[in-house]
Amino acid sequence: MKPRHEVADVLNQNIDRIEQLCTNSWQARALYALAACRTAKLGGHIDRCDNPDCQALHLSYNSCRNRHCPKCQG
């Protein structure tokens, strides 16, 4: 079951207030990374299905690889 709200959605709604909420630049940097995780902001790549009957293309966005990120926990 997919959650109704994700951390990135909440951060993107308040993106203009992130620097005001953080006490240092490391916190702001982490929150910006979480907001951009698995979006076009970080780039991506195209994968093709190996099944000869399918051959569908799938767009995959890159993760932030931040250890605090709930999506990738990189």
Side-chain angles (χ1 to χ4, degrees):
M1 186 165 99
K2 186 176 179 180
R4 181 187 277 180
H5 301 286
E6 292 188 6
V7 173
D9 296 332
V10 174
L11 290 173
N12 284 319
Q13 289 175 358
N14 298 294
I15 198 80
D16 54 334
R17 296 182 49 211
I18 285 180
E19 291 184 19
Q20 297 168 355
L21 298 172
C22 297
T23 58
N24 59 44
S25 63
W26 291 100
Q27 292 174 345
R29 198 165 123 189
L31 292 179
Y32 282 125
L34 271 62
C37 187
R38 298 183 196 261
T39 65
K41 293 177 187 175
L42 297 179
H45 53 279
I46 298 173
D47 299 318
R48 181 184 296 262
C49 182
D50 290 337
N51 185 342
D53 296 332
C54 180
Q55 294 291 316
L57 298 176
H58 302 281
L59 179 62
S60 300
Y61 292 116
N62 297 335
S63 65
C64 66
R65 298 180 65 197
N66 188 298
R67 68 180 177 153
H68 304 294
C69 180
K71 289 182 184 177
C72 59
Q73 294 181 353

